[in-house]
Amino acid sequence: MENFVFQNRTKVIFGKDQEQVVGQEAAFFGKKVLLHYGGGSIKKSGLYDTVVESLKEEGVEIVELGGVLPNPRVSLVRDGVNLCKEHQIDSILAVGGGSVIDSAKAIAIGAHYDGDVWDFFDGKAEVTDCLPIGVVLTIPAAGSETSGGSVITNEDGAYKRAVGHDKMRPEFAILNPVLSYTLPSYQTACGVTDMISHILERYFTNEKNVELTDRLCEATLKTIINNAHTVIDEPTNYAARAEIMWAGTIAHNDSLSTGRVGDWGSHDIEHEVSGIYDITHGAGLAIIFPAWMKYVYKHDVNRFVQFANRVWDVEIDLNDLEKTALKGIQKTEQFFSSIGMPVTLSEVDIDDKHFAEMAKKCTEKGPKGNFVPLHEEDVFNIYELAK
Ligand code: NZQ
Ligand code: ZN
């Protein structure tokens, strides 16, 4: 096991009706909040009214910025930064999913910076300060509600890039599984795929003697797999929605990566796809992850055998370990298909036109991934495998 420091300060408030305490929680960080949200799902569900009422009850002044798109854009982030500076905002409240939360985080670091906020995303500036962020989560998926990361798309050049810093972890996150009842099944499935991928990125490590985190990863994966069909077939099943919502946070709050080095190649390879084609991140991962697995499994067949056996209950064939490993990959792919995810680029009408460009952009600052470092040619081959 590697040495590690684990610190995740986000206060998680979980359960039915918990969004009603948002005013109290937000007031703790000041009396002027930027209320940030997406394209309107929160108005349709009534959550917007609940949040506004709760903030007003606590005397919190609201400045609003809605309109965050999935794959959030830097242009809106810049608008948010300007609002924060103009109104001397104390904190940002993100009501929505990963896109809204990531946009809020980018605004929060930009609010204390004199240059252009994109500087953080292309490595020209380091995070030193960040406005406090609160979250009311509406979709379990990205895990951004407790993570220190933000992923933003720059329309200029179709770059989708990430920044991460402990200071960017939200101060509090309200998780009410009931708020996810209104999710369309496709978004639910994309969320499930994303959280599974967050665990797999951590699971495929070169670190030995990480039994506890291996088993925590496997338990979380199994829980997600066991509940995925239920949340899709019965969107108002509280028990299943609750398991999925908490699993989505656990998948990405960094407890599962303690003492081990994760891979993250598949995420970077996917970000190039959603950067250019604007597909949903989870759907992109359902396509890229199995292709990545097929490309790298020979690097550590035993780890893939363990995955096949413990997560997918594949019987180990001691005479043919590769066969067992491949069966685990096949099961992963079949599971993604079974919840309605695409597993090839052609299913989302993406051809090979931009493969070379995406592979080049992905590796322009060096090889990607830690399990097996991938160079431009490898990334290109993975896009080919995902065709
Ligand atoms: O915009 P609205 O109208 O709210 O609709 C959203 C959006 O269209 C809708 N939605 C959300 N909650 C809903 C709902 N519709 C009905 N009922 C509800 N309760 O769902 C759509 C997708 O929302 P989005 O926020 O984009 O989803 P998600 O949480 O999957 O976030 C995806 C983004 O997170 C990034 C991804 O790259 C992507 O840009 N990620 C962020 C990470 C992080 N910060 O740590 C890690 C992840 O790996 C990921 O890269
Ligand atoms: Zn992800």
Side-chain angles (χ1 to χ4, degrees):
M1 206 191 284
E2 288 273 300
N3 291 357
F4 68 87
V5 175
F6 176 70
Q7 183 175 22
N8 189 320
R9 63 147 179 251
T10 309
K11 174 180 180 182
V12 174
I13 303 163
F14 190 98
K16 289 177 186 162
D17 299 327
Q18 295 301 307
E19 64 277 15
Q20 288 167 11
V21 303
V22 69
Q24 265 162 272
E25 294 297 326
F28 190 72
F29 299 98
K31 286 289 177 192
K32 215 179 216 185
V33 74
L34 181 75
L35 174 58
H36 202 35
Y37 54 91
S41 73
I42 68 159
K43 290 205 167 155
K44 221 163 137 189
S45 68
L47 176 60
Y48 172 87
D49 293 332
T50 310
V51 168
V52 167
E53 196 179 318
S54 176
L55 290 169
K56 283 189 174 160
E57 263 171 28
E58 298 298 324
V60 178
E61 193 183 325
I62 303 167
V63 175
E64 261 189 53
L65 182 62
V68 179
L69 296 172
N71 297 321
R73 313 298 201 270
V74 72
S75 49
L76 191 75
V77 171
R78 290 186 182 121
D79 293 345
V81 169
N82 291 337
L83 280 176
C84 285
K85 290 179 178 171
E86 189 186 327
H87 295 276
Q88 290 162 337
I89 294 290
D90 296 315
S91 74
I92 307 181
L93 180 63
V95 184
S99 296
V100 174
I101 306 166
D102 285 5
S103 184
K105 288 173 175 174
I107 294 170
I109 54 175
H112 283 296
Y113 180 63
D114 287 335
D116 178 25
V117 66
W118 187 253
D119 290 352
F120 292 106
F121 293 84
D122 72 2
K124 286 190 195 142
E126 300 242 320
V127 175
T128 53
D129 222 340
C130 184
L131 283 177
I133 299 157
V135 171
V136 180
L137 187 69
T138 61
I139 168 171
S144 185
E145 64 276 10
T146 69
S147 85
S150 165
V151 192
I152 300 293
T153 296
N154 192 334
E155 303 91 317
D156 182 11
Y159 279 95
K160 187 173 181 184
R161 292 289 177 264
V163 168
H165 198 286
D166 264 337
K167 289 190 173 165
M168 293 160 68
R169 291 189 200 269
E171 300 292 337
F172 68 89
I174 297 178
L175 275 60
N176 175 359
V178 173
L179 298 177
S180 63
Y181 284 1
T182 50
L183 278 169
S185 57
Y186 185 76
Q187 287 298 340
T188 298
C190 285
V192 161
T193 307
D194 194 17
M195 60 183 81
I196 286 177
S197 303
H198 294 159
I199 305 168
L200 297 179
E201 295 281 19
R202 293 169 164 94
Y203 191 76
F204 292 103
T205 181
N206 293 316
E207 208 56 48
K208 305 291 175 207
N209 306 313
V210 281
E211 185 179 351
L212 174 65
T213 41
D214 268 4
R215 291 192 184 274
L216 289 171
C217 285
E218 289 152 5
T220 316
L221 284 169
K222 274 189 158 283
T223 306
I224 298 167
I225 293 161
N226 287 345
N227 286 280
H229 284 285
T230 311
V231 288
I232 289 166
D233 297 342
E234 302 166 39
T236 59
N237 184 316
Y238 183 82
R241 286 285 192 190
E243 296 291 349
I244 291 290
M245 191 168 252
W246 187 222
T249 302
I250 296 291
H252 204 43
N253 74 351
D254 288 332
S255 56
L256 301 183
S257 34
T258 46
R260 53 202 290 148
V261 176
D263 183 66
W264 298 102
S266 298
H267 263 70
D268 288 328
I269 296 170
E270 192 291 316
H271 284 165
E272 297 306 329
V273 182
S274 45
I276 291 188
Y277 294 99
D278 200 21
I279 63 167
T280 308
H281 172 62
L285 288 166
I287 296 165
I288 297 298
F289 231 115
W292 174 86
M293 287 174 156
K294 288 173 202 164
Y295 196 71
V296 305
Y297 77 93
K298 286 188 179 153
H299 170 71
D300 188 350
V301 172
N302 287 340
R303 180 149 280 278
F304 276 88
V305 168
Q306 178 181 303
F307 170 67
N309 176 253
R310 292 197 195 161
V311 176
W312 296 110
D313 302 319
V314 176
E315 206 176 313
I316 299 176
D317 183 344
L318 289 172
N319 297 316
D320 197 344
L321 291 177
E322 249 187 84
K323 195 170 137 201
T324 309
L326 285 169
K327 203 122 188 227
I329 298 171
Q330 191 190 29
K331 289 254 187 190
T332 310
E333 203 167 35
Q334 283 169 351
F335 173 78
F336 289 152
S337 285
S338 77
I339 57 170
M341 288 287 94
V343 289
T344 57
L345 288 167
S346 57
E347 283 173 73
V348 287
D349 296 326
I350 294 176
D351 61 18
D352 56 9
K353 189 171 149 207
H354 291 292
F355 284 5
E357 178 195 342
M358 293 191 296
K360 190 164 193 286
K361 276 165 81 177
C362 184
T363 53
E364 67 188 5
K365 293 200 170 150
K368 289 295 179 182
N370 296 305
F371 185 62
V372 178
L374 302 169
H375 299 269
E376 186 177 334
E377 187 192 331
D378 301 307
V379 175
F380 181 87
N381 291 339
I382 289 171
Y383 290 132
E384 281 287 329
L385 268 176
K387 265 209 291 209

